[in-house]
Amino acid sequence: MLALTLLAGGCRKHFEAVDAVDFEVTTVSQTFKVGEAVRFNFEGDPDFIIFYSGERGNEYAFKDKDRITDTEMTFTFTTTTSSGTPGYPNPARVPICYSTDFSGEYTEEAMRAATWVDITDQFDQPKDTGVTDLLSGDVNITRYFPDEETPLYFCFHYVVDAFDASAAGGEGNGRTQWNFKSPQFNGVVGETSEVLYDMASSNWQIVLAASFDGATSLPDVNSYRVLLRSEFQPPVSRECWAVCGPIYKMDQINEGPDHGVGIKAMASASLSSYDYVYETPGEYTVTFVGANANVYDRKEVVRTLKIQIVEDEGSITPPEPGEWNQ
């Protein structure tokens, strides 16, 4: 029994242990051009290789910690205008406004009591009916927050003139529908963007003025758009607002930890090199993690290189002999 116990213990130790990792990484240079394949040469054959390019979102330094990043806030949407009289949109403009003192009561009285700042000129808007999915642009709203605690409310202010059959050269000024699709507030960091308030969480609601009494067609909100409209030939001017908020300032967003890219697994064939292309100039800290592992044990080594990616300024290829005179 003693012999069997010693034998079992020896087998267990043998099956639990993995070999130390033999793994090195080199490059032929420390400087490469944008768009050029950077070749990383390997020595050794670990079971697993994980690659961190050093680009944002793929940095080894953030593999075990959240990336907390300063952000700017933007407001964006797309607009479609339909119906109405071509060349004579009614309304021709839908003001986009914000307020810091709106009470949050969705009534005509509360809307008129609040101070609304018109920022329409910051956005791209249709100039006529029949415009489809015009992008508003990403408008930075960070500067409109007075402090960290005070939220903003935003509104689309829709006013339709009463129908006049003699307007528009006798065609009449039929009502134009304004359809605002996917309005959302984003947190922007560099070239990346994250949705902070989508259509649902920004709480869009319609507020009708008394002038909408008796209207046979009403504006409404659904899960992806705000539709502002009235009947095609309103007998009186119609007024309403689509309001959202409260929208709170977010100075930082949590992008979570970065994750490496597995470029070799245990079952994969040996890997002698790996090519990667950088599209943006800069200095990058590139990291490879080589590991040997089984269900009982894991050993790994971390190899780090610094490389410089520069703009490709091009070059001139001399002509073949004889071409100079042609």
Side-chain angles (χ1 to χ4, degrees), residues 77 91-98 116-121 123 125 154-159 178 180 228 240-242:
F77 50 86
R93 180 179 185 269
V94 175
I96 304 164
C97 308
Y98 77 88
W116 294 97
V117 180
D118 190 330
I119 55 172
T120 316
D121 61 352
F123 301 84
Q125 274 205 341
F154 289 83
C155 78
F156 299 123
H157 187 193
Y158 183 75
V159 180
W178 285 67
F180 297 96
L228 300 181
C240 70
W241 300 264

Side-chain angles (χ1 to χ4, degrees), residues 47-196:
D47 294 338
F48 304 93
I49 303 176
I50 300 173
F51 169 64
Y52 294 84
S53 68
E55 297 166 297
R56 182 175 191 82
N58 191 214
E59 294 184 71
Y60 182 77
F62 286 92
K63 77 178 186 68
D64 293 321
K65 64 179 180 179
D66 290 347
R67 185 188 290 274
I68 308 298
T69 311
D70 292 337
T71 183
E72 297 289 318
M73 287 186 67
T74 64
F75 181 28
T76 185
F77 50 86
T78 62
T79 309
T80 292
T81 53
S82 60
S83 189
T85 305
Y88 301 90
N90 178 22
R93 180 179 185 269
V94 175
I96 304 164
C97 308
Y98 77 88
S99 175
T100 59
D101 61 4
F102 177 57
S103 66
E105 297 179 19
Y106 293 90
T107 64
E108 179 180 359
E109 294 74 22
M111 292 298 299
R112 298 195 188 283
T115 303
W116 294 97
V117 180
D118 190 330
I119 55 172
T120 316
D121 61 352
Q122 302 294 310
F123 301 84
D124 291 328
Q125 274 205 341
K127 300 296 191 292
D128 198 357
T129 189
V131 176
T132 301
D133 292 342
L134 176 67
L135 297 175
S136 67
D138 294 313
V139 175
N140 192 317
I141 63 169
T142 306
R143 61 188 182 276
Y144 301 138
F145 289 91
D147 51 53
E148 302 296 325
E149 291 75 33
T150 304
L152 300 181
Y153 289 84
F154 289 83
C155 78
F156 299 123
H157 187 193
Y158 183 75
V159 180
V160 180
D161 291 336
F163 181 72
D164 180 357
S166 66
E171 294 185 57
N173 58 337
R175 169 269 300 125
T176 300
Q177 296 185 139
W178 285 67
N179 189 343
F180 297 96
K181 302 178 184 177
S182 302
Q184 61 189 37
F185 299 88
N186 301 318
V188 178
V189 179
E191 296 182 357
T192 63
S193 178
E194 176 182 332
V195 178
L196 302 178

Side-chain angles (χ1 to χ4, degrees), residues 265-284:
M266 182 180 293
S268 304
S270 298
L271 195 63
S272 61
S273 64
Y274 180 70
D275 290 353
Y276 188 78
V277 175
Y278 290 84
E279 300 295 345
T280 305
E283 183 176 270
Y284 297 92

Side-chain angles (χ1 to χ4, degrees), residues 38 127 311 315:
V38 180
K127 300 296 191 292
E311 292 282 6
S315 61

